[in-house]
Amino acid sequence: MSKNNDELFKNVISHAKEYGFVFQSSEIYDGLSAVYDYGQNGAELKNNIKTYWWKAMVQLHENIVGIDSAIFMHPRIWKASGHVDGFNDPMIDNKDSKKRYRADQLLEDRINKYERDRKTDKAVKLQLEMDKALKAEDLGRLRDLIIEHEIACPVSGTRNWTDVRQFNLMFSTQFGAMSEDSEEVYLRPETAQGIFVNFLNVQKTGRMKIPFGIAQIGKAFRNEVIARQFIMRMREFEQMEMQFFVRPGTEMEWYNYWKEARLKWHLALGTSAEKYRYHDHAKLAHYANAAVDIEFEFPFGFKEVEGIHSRTDFDLSQHQQFSGKKMQYFDPEINQNYIPYVIETSIGLDRMFLLTLMNAYEEQDLSEGDTQDSRVVLKLHPCLAPVKAAILPLTKKDGLPEKAREIMDRLKLDHPIVYEEKDSIGKRYRRQDAIGTPFCITVDHQSLEDNTITIRHRDSMKQERVAINQLDRIIGDLVSWKNLLK
Ligand code: ATP
């Protein structure tokens, strides 16, 4: 990470804490590694991202429905899905610092460094070699690449590495009160399996016809070998996944459809297209016949935010075999029974949250002449902003708070609004800028006379005088989901 990027990232992390977006979990006990809590503004922002996804996927598609399956599932599900035997990361330890790393990530960081240093040939070559080694599950070759490219441990600075070993990422716990008859269960490492095992329940009760999708948002848990980069890689995180069931043979058509549709969803937020790229997988997971990542350019390089995978009929076939229950669909159009093929879209909610925060964060110098001034503003899309408007009486007297409360009562049923009367109006504007509130509504003495207020716009800082009875419409228009979902 360059110094500027490093500093920017640190500033965003402190901002997230200072303004109630993200806190380290169990902070008063010195924290729990790679686990985070969302604060008062973070929870709102996260909910708004979920709503954006749910509306785009479920509400706007007649053939997609949403479910909410349990985190605990029968342990055989993870045997069937391949996670018990195959959900591993290649890890390597530095013998001096005793720190553990993911071998592929050490190499990826080196590739990013080559790209930054404009050593494109080296970057491409190493990427190809790494992909080949991962595909062949050649752990020895991964280690050789780390040695050949002189990758040192960031902590000890030495190249004294152990062998590369596989490490299973699932958390397990005991199910049942008595230790003798308790059973080992796993905390789900992905939400997808909850969809697969309910495939027929939903298809039958919803009378769904192929092609159709099942979506869900929920927690997933992975005992990540190395957890770092804030909420980028967590041990407890949230996924927004959709499995789209299609007729075999049509999967590539749908794969391409979802690949495009999902990038559009990201870009609708107004993010520059240059910040995104596709990364086609060279090493396909055991279940996939095509896979692509949507990557975003974070300060620490391009990283995956969302995956689109063509999962074939792998999962449903496995569940049919392991459960002994038929997982087939009768297709009336071709008069045939078959196990559907599946296209999955899987986005990490926390990564999307980080991306949104990074993208919105701006430090602005507003100095004019001799007057020094600056602000930090979160230029969040109004639909995502935690607070839609702040009602600010100019002073605490003369009936202004009462008038302001009247406006607040009128708007709060439709929107999350805050009321603030402490500190100067300038300070109050800055606090709202820092959490991304699109509107500040100032109530002054004129408001008492002619029922008008000033609206101050977050990004332009321009103010305009409008009638109070226009407020519902103005705010309603700006925060309407219609602006995002067309
Ligand atoms: P990575 O290669 O970064 O470990 P992955 O390929 O294992 O990710 P998937 O299994 O495809 O990820 O999961 C789908 C999405 O879930 C990812 O695109 C990412 O946004 C999110 N995700 C996966 N692991 C984590 C994690 N540990 N913390 C936060 N989000 C995660």
Side-chain angles (χ1 to χ4, degrees), residues 102 222 224 232-234 237 239 304-305 346 348 351:
R102 258 176 67 175
R222 295 182 188 179
E224 295 284 358
M232 189 69 197
R233 188 167 298 287
M234 302 155 92
F237 58 102
Q239 288 183 316
E304 168 181 351
V305 181
S346 172
R351 283 192 195 174

Side-chain angles (χ1 to χ4, degrees), residues 193-249:
Q193 298 304 323
I195 295 179
F196 290 124
V197 297
N198 279 298
F199 157 69
L200 280 182
N201 283 338
V202 175
Q203 190 271 319
K204 289 194 172 130
T205 56
R207 295 183 299 140
M208 309 300 290
K209 286 205 169 53
I210 268 178
F212 74 90
I214 305 178
Q216 102 159 311
I217 301 177
K219 288 267 175 148
F221 304 83
R222 295 182 188 179
N223 199 1
E224 295 284 358
V225 175
I226 160 110
R228 56 179 180 168
Q229 287 156 342
F230 193 40
I231 53 172
M232 189 69 197
R233 188 167 298 287
M234 302 155 92
R235 297 205 164 98
E236 172 179 342
F237 58 102
E238 232 169 315
Q239 288 183 316
M240 306 193 284
E241 296 199 301
M242 192 275 301
Q243 311 295 325
F244 200 70
F245 300 91
V246 304
R247 190 182 290 165

Side-chain angles (χ1 to χ4, degrees), residues 66-177:
I67 64 163
D68 183 10
S69 71
I71 287 172
F72 286 130
M73 291 196 274
H74 197 287
R76 274 170 61 80
I77 286 174
W78 304 110
K79 196 77 190 148
S81 69
H83 283 82
V84 171
D85 300 316
F87 192 49
N88 302 313
D89 271 346
M91 63 171 200
I92 189 164
D93 293 26
N94 182 269
K95 290 183 192 163
D96 299 318
S97 68
K98 311 271 183 268
K99 290 275 175 206
R100 178 164 292 174
Y101 301 91
R102 258 176 67 175
D104 56 331
Q105 270 172 8
L106 286 176
L107 291 166
E108 251 176 40
D109 288 348
R110 180 49 52 108
I111 292 167
N112 279 334
K113 184 172 182 324
Y114 285 150
E115 276 172 357
R116 276 199 309 278
D117 297 346
R118 300 189 190 288
K119 295 180 182 163
T120 316
D121 289 354
K122 277 192 147 178
V124 172
K125 186 157 178 276
L126 179 54
Q127 181 80 54
L128 286 174
E129 285 177 328
M130 178 180 89
D131 289 345
K132 200 168 145 206
L134 284 171
K135 197 167 183 180
E137 294 190 12
D138 187 344
L139 302 182
R141 180 68 191 134
L142 284 178
R143 183 176 191 276
D144 290 347
L145 286 172
I146 289 171
I147 304 289
E148 278 166 28
H149 288 265
E150 302 184 345
I151 298 174
C153 165
V155 177
S156 67
T158 68
R159 302 202 289 262
N160 193 6
W161 296 109
T162 61
D163 286 342
V164 176
R165 278 166 294 160
Q166 294 286 20
F167 177 80
N168 193 289
L169 300 184
M170 279 200 295
F171 283 101
S172 66
T173 187
Q174 295 306 117
F175 205 67

